[in-house]
Amino acid sequence: MKTRRDLFRVATEAAALAALPAGVSATPAPGLPHGKPLLELQQAFVDLRFGLFVHLNMATFQDREWGDPAAPAAMFNPTALDTDQWAEAALSANMTWGCLTAKHHDGFCLWPTATRSDSVRHAGRKTDVVRAYVDSFSKYGLKVALHFSMLDMRQDIRHFDVTPDKVALIKAQLTELLTGYGDIDVLILDGWIAHWSRITYEEIPFHDIYALVKRLQPNCLVTDLNAGQFPTGGLYYTDVKAFEQNAGQVAPKDNVLPGYACATLTEDWFWKTGDETRPLKSVDQVVNEWLVPLNARHCNLILNAPSNREGRIAPNLVARLKEIGAAWRHAGPAEKVAEHVVITTPNLATAKPIKASSYPDTIGPDEANDGDFKSFWQPDDGAASAWIEVDLKRETAFNVVAFVEPFGGDDYKHSRIKAYRFQRWDGGGWADLAEGGVPSPVTIQRVARTSARRVRLLIEASENGPGVAEIGVYNEPAYWRAV
């Protein structure tokens, strides 16, 4: 039986969704294209070069990295919040943008959400921190990004415990952030498919969230901070590739994707008691080991300088940011980024019946469509050519095909394929879809939208033992294209 509290919660969340601008739906029609071309947005992001990450949330007041979800909301009490000071500190380092942890993993919201979640509405200091941050950074000419966690311990949004009601809560909160605070240039999503959260893109449907963001703010870049399980050579479920340096993710020296790396000036992400006297990352490390080489790899650097419990960046961090600014100057627009297809929808080939030209001992073609980029199929030794064929089980529309070659380790350092070809069965024979010579480690190609039940990848070997780690078939809407 629904209680009065349940009915009030449903009403407030319905009100949040009803607050959408006229003509905007929380469940976007698939394929609705508008906004600037994605490549233009990606280039503008890479051109920013250097940004400030500000971690401030319940964990700040608990000396933790994740806030205690059982802690009372009144504990959040930044007594001297000064977001202008954050912006000034960013400018002193010659930064051009910022990002704030609007909702971290414990689920506390830094804006007065109308949903059931605990927020600044219930805090010791009831200031809308998101509003203050956006206004300050916009006033100082800095671009604005927000960090939002899918993992939400206060609402028990966890792996194996995601319900339609909880997905609706996430959508309502994102709607508030993307309709109430002006232009948001980047949305950094967190707590999805990480080894520590395990929430899948099926439990909280990635494409539904992506589509909602693009409908509300078509020029907002969407990036998943935790997509490290995907190959570094492809934009899987992200508009810009994330490399979390604190988690050991390093941008490859030959990276060609628009991307960013995030790292901390202090030891941890959130402020800890005593950080005002602890060693910080050196100017040399930040500038010469991180920022300069990353910028040469199409990568932005976002450096975390957490707010303390007052709501200010501590004097030692402010001083270090100023020293960084004295050692580094923004060099203007970065090298041009090439166009790359962004994957936002599920792989239609995953876990479908698959067969191959040969079946070596212990190796099956199912290793090429199991969703695991570390497993792979290889043909029999000495095969000059080979193929794998996926049965999609019904006539299926698609417009992107992909495959990944299993680079890694000392025994597979370069491509073993000299040519490849994708084909579809048209009912009477195999029709070509796309082809190429030596592939990239990750090959993702847009094709004219078509339909088929069977899709085949043929490869010609340049040396013995070519492999396919994953074959992909996707039906991608083009949200990023101009109307």
Side-chain angles (χ1 to χ4, degrees):
M1 177 181 296
K2 283 186 166 61
T3 65
R4 293 182 63 185
R5 182 174 179 176
D6 292 330
L7 293 172
F8 177 76
R9 170 181 58 77
V10 171
T12 55
E13 291 175 13
L17 289 171
L20 287 166
V24 174
S25 166
T27 307
L32 180 66
H34 54 142
K36 296 178 181 178
L38 179 60
L39 183 60
E40 180 180 334
L41 297 171
Q42 291 168 327
Q43 185 67 53
F45 175 76
V46 173
D47 289 348
L48 292 174
R49 294 188 178 269
F50 194 20
L52 178 69
F53 214 156
V54 180
H55 272 62
L56 170 66
N57 213 288
M58 288 294 290
T60 307
F61 300 87
Q62 302 168 340
D63 278 350
R64 294 169 61 116
E65 285 294 85
W66 292 14
D68 178 1
M75 182 176 285
F76 184 82
N77 189 27
T79 54
L81 182 72
D82 190 349
T83 52
D84 277 1
Q85 186 238 13
W86 302 355
E88 290 166 356
L91 286 175
S92 77
N94 293 313
M95 293 169 167
T96 57
W97 66 293
C99 183
L100 172 67
T101 50
K103 187 178 84 164
H104 202 250
H105 306 322
D106 79 297
F108 183 83
C109 299
L110 293 190
W111 74 100
T113 176
T115 67
R116 64 182 181 268
S117 293
D118 288 334
S119 74
V120 291
R121 189 188 300 275
H122 315 100
R125 177 73 56 164
K126 302 187 186 304
T127 303
D128 184 340
V129 181
V130 172
R131 168 59 61 201
Y133 152 72
V134 169
D135 287 352
S136 290
F137 275 58
S138 298
K139 178 174 68 176
Y140 282 88
L142 297 161
K143 298 295 185 180
V144 172
L146 293 174
H147 168 283
F148 183 95
S149 176
M150 294 295 166
L151 176 67
D152 184 332
M153 297 187 293
R154 286 176 179 259
Q155 294 299 325
D156 207 25
I157 303 177
R158 303 170 181 267
H159 187 36
F160 297 146
D161 199 6
V162 179
T163 64
D165 177 66
K166 293 175 182 179
V167 173
L169 172 70
I170 289 169
K171 290 182 177 181
Q173 291 178 348
L174 287 173
T175 296
E176 291 176 333
L177 290 172
L178 295 172
T179 59
Y181 295 92
D183 291 341
I184 304 300
D185 299 285
V186 184
L187 180 65
I188 297 180
L189 300 172
D190 201 357
W192 233 341
I193 69 168
H195 68 276
W196 42 262
S197 75
R198 298 167 294 281
I199 297 173
T200 69
Y201 287 153
E202 289 72 39
E203 289 175 299
I204 301 175
F206 179 89
H207 186 259
D208 284 0
I209 300 299
Y210 186 88
L212 174 63
V213 174
K214 295 296 182 178
R215 180 152 187 137
L216 297 176
Q217 293 218 23
N219 294 326
C220 178
L221 289 168
V222 178
T223 174
D224 184 358
L225 190 57
N226 304 120
Q229 66 176 267
F230 298 102
T232 57
L235 290 176
Y236 287 90
Y237 308 100
T238 189
D239 287 337
V240 287
K241 184 67 177 175
F243 301 97
E244 187 177 345
Q245 292 191 170
N246 282 33
Q249 298 171 11
V250 179
K253 291 182 179 180
D254 59 352
N255 177 64
V256 295
L257 301 176
Y260 67 102
C262 50
T264 59
L265 196 52
T266 55
E267 185 64 25
D268 297 321
W269 289 106
F270 280 96
W271 178 262
K272 303 295 187 298
T273 303
D275 274 352
E276 62 272 14
T277 59
R278 291 192 181 99
L280 303 175
K281 304 303 190 318
S282 70
V283 173
D284 181 67
Q285 183 174 23
V286 173
V287 173
N288 297 316
E289 296 181 25
W290 296 346
L291 184 53
V292 172
L294 282 167
N295 281 177
R297 302 175 199 173
H298 302 96
C299 272
N300 207 311
L301 172 65
I302 179 168
L303 183 66
N304 184 63
S307 167
N308 62 19
R309 293 182 180 181
E310 292 181 336
R312 295 174 58 86
I313 297 175
N316 60 329
L317 275 71
V318 170
R320 182 54 47 86
L321 289 170
K322 189 173 182 178
E323 292 167 354
I324 291 169
W328 180 84
R329 290 287 185 273
H330 193 289
E335 182 182 348
K336 293 300 181 183
V337 176
E339 184 176 3
H340 296 272
V341 179
V342 173
I343 299 299
T344 69
T345 58
N347 186 353
L348 301 170
T350 299
K352 296 297 196 302
I354 187 168
K355 56 186 178 181
S357 54
S358 61
Y359 299 79
D361 290 348
T362 76
I363 298 174
D366 56 283
E367 294 185 273
N369 73 330
D370 58 359
D372 182 356
F373 291 91
K374 295 179 181 178
S375 66
F376 57 94
W377 166 81
Q378 290 177 292
D380 284 332
D381 283 346
S385 61
W387 55 263
I388 51 176
E389 178 190 326
V390 178
D391 181 356
L392 301 176
K393 302 181 75 172
R394 61 181 176 81
E395 195 76 9
T396 302
F398 61 92
N399 62 346
V400 172
V401 290
F403 78 101
V404 178
E405 198 172 353
F407 286 78
D410 294 333
D411 60 344
Y412 210 124
K413 290 185 175 180
H414 57 269
S415 180
R416 298 178 183 177
I417 298 173
K418 67 179 181 181
Y420 67 91
R421 180 177 299 173
F422 280 98
Q423 297 179 319
R424 68 177 182 90
W425 182 256
D426 65 8
W430 290 103
D432 290 345
L433 289 167
E435 61 184 330
V438 178
S440 302
V442 178
T443 298
I444 303 175
Q445 289 185 252
R446 190 177 289 118
V447 298
R449 192 179 301 277
T450 187
S451 66
R453 173 169 174 161
R454 295 157 58 192
V455 176
R456 184 167 73 169
L457 170 64
L458 300 90
I459 56 175
E460 294 181 37
S462 58
E463 60 182 88
N464 191 44
V468 177
E470 203 71 13
I471 183 171
V473 179
Y474 304 91
N475 190 23
E476 287 291 327
Y479 291 101
W480 53 88
R481 294 188 179 279
V483 174

